Each structure stands twice: as C-alpha cells, then as structure tokens.
Amino acid sequence: MTAPDARSGTGRPAELFFEDLVPGLTVDLGVVTVDADEMVAFARRFDPQWYHVDPDLAAASRHGGLIASGFYTVSLFMRAYVDHLLSRAAADASPGLEELRWLAPVRAGDRLAVRVDVMGARPSTARPGLGTVSLTGTMLRLGPDDRPEQEVLRTRFRGWFAVRPVEADPAEAEATEAEAAEAAPPDADRPDSGPTAADPSTAGPSDDEPTESNGSAEAQRHD
C-alpha cells in the first residue's frame, strides 16, 4: 500500500521524490497553445481590463489587438507544471514565489514551450520528511519552425517534496525479531506458578458467598 506522503500532486502513486530533483535538472513541460475564447473568458472573469476584453479598443492601441492577462499566462504555466511534473512527484505545498515576470505580450494562437529548471535543493528544517526545491519556470513563444522566438514569462518559486520512503529490509526485520527473542527472560512465557483456586487451602471466598465474623476486634482487624 502506498503511504499518503508517497502520493503525487494529483493523488496517484509518486515516482519522483526530493532526491530526484537535483540542481541542474531541466524538466520539459510540453507546449501549450493559447485558446482565444478561453483567454478572453478568463479575463472577463478575473482581469477585465480593456486590452484583455475589448477587441476594438485593443486593436486601436499600441497593443495592436487583445493580449492575455498575465494571470492567465501563469495559469497555463501552472497547468503544464501539474500535468508534467507534479502528477509524478511526491509534491506537498509551496512556500511561495520569489519572482513572477511577464516579459512579452501573449496573444491568442501563440504556442508556448514550457520548462522548469531545478536551481537548488535542501532538506527542510521546518518540515521533517520534506525537502525544499528552488525552481525557475519559463515560457517561450515558438515560431513557425518550432524554434524559440521570445521568452514571455519567468517565475522563481519553491516547492516542498517528500523524501523517498525507506523500505524495511526483510532480513533485517527477521534479525531484529531473533535478537528480541534471545533477550527475553527464560520464564517470560511460563504462567505464574502461584496458588490457584483448585487448592482449597488458598482459595478465598467467592463474590457470591458471605463471610462469617464473630464481631470481635481480632476478627475485624486486617493485617
């Protein structure tokens, strides 16, 4: 059975742990295409500035057309991060962002290559059993030939990841049991040899038999 700490960010059994996220590692998070309807719907719901939602005003401006909300763009990054890394890794929460930059406008139809780079990793001092990983995420617009044209987003953040569980060695477990058995006292499993109810000389009165007393002080004294 998989322990809760060994589940990925989407709840499936994890295959990547803190020890696997070494500095210098680059993880390809795939390519996302910006959907026009989704881009505008997000802006109308969460960031309804005119250059995100009004095509006429945006076309007449220096933007030359609608541009995506930066928060929509970082949401695309987050989805790619979950799909291609957190879905496999023993991820816990994140203590936060250090940097979030929108470096160029994003438009409907853009194809964005997404990746994350591991910049640092160390055991967590606040959360035993977890490690803190420092990450840099980037999104780059691709040209018609699939070559990167421009970086549109960069973010630096940290994530907590569970350390790899230590599996018990069956041989070590058997040795521990054998050592415990050898250390037990010789009579540990022998029943107490004290008096039993079968010996009339030691049997006391039962709970449903009254005791007799002559009322004297000697009979009422208990040692």
Side-chain angles (χ1 to χ4, degrees), residues 211-216 219-220:
T211 59
E212 294 182 358
S213 172
N214 59 9
S216 68
Q220 294 178 12

Side-chain angles (χ1 to χ4, degrees), residues 30-118:
V31 176
V32 297
T33 300
V34 180
D35 179 85
D37 293 337
E38 183 182 70
M39 181 186 85
V40 175
F42 181 97
R44 285 176 176 159
R45 174 68 176 84
F46 298 106
D47 189 4
Q49 300 183 78
W50 60 266
Y51 42 81
H52 298 324
V53 298
D54 190 318
D56 295 331
L57 288 179
S61 73
R62 64 181 180 84
H63 300 295
L66 291 176
I67 60 174
S69 165
F71 291 99
Y72 173 71
T73 305
V74 77
S75 295
L76 294 178
F77 169 83
M78 188 66 203
R79 181 57 191 258
Y81 179 48
V82 171
D83 286 347
H84 296 280
L85 180 57
L86 297 188
S87 62
R88 302 165 53 210
D92 201 272
S94 168
L97 296 170
E98 279 82 39
E99 178 185 28
L100 175 58
R101 298 187 64 193
W102 298 295
L103 303 171
V106 170
R107 305 175 188 275
D110 281 353
R111 297 173 62 249
L112 307 176
V114 192
R115 78 165 191 261
V116 68
D117 296 283
V118 179

Side-chain angles (χ1 to χ4, degrees), residues 120-147:
R122 58 180 175 77
S124 173
T125 56
R127 302 284 299 276
L130 299 178
T132 301
V133 180
S134 299
L135 302 150
T136 295
T138 56
M139 303 182 81
L140 297 100
R141 182 185 297 109
L142 299 179
D145 56 358
D146 287 342
R147 296 173 63 89

Side-chain angles (χ1 to χ4, degrees), residues 188-202:
D189 297 327
R190 186 180 301 172
D192 188 359
S193 57
T196 65
D199 183 354
S201 66
T202 60

Side-chain angles (χ1 to χ4, degrees), residues 176-190:
T176 300
E177 292 178 1
E179 291 173 359
E182 291 177 0
D187 297 332
D189 297 327
R190 186 180 301 172

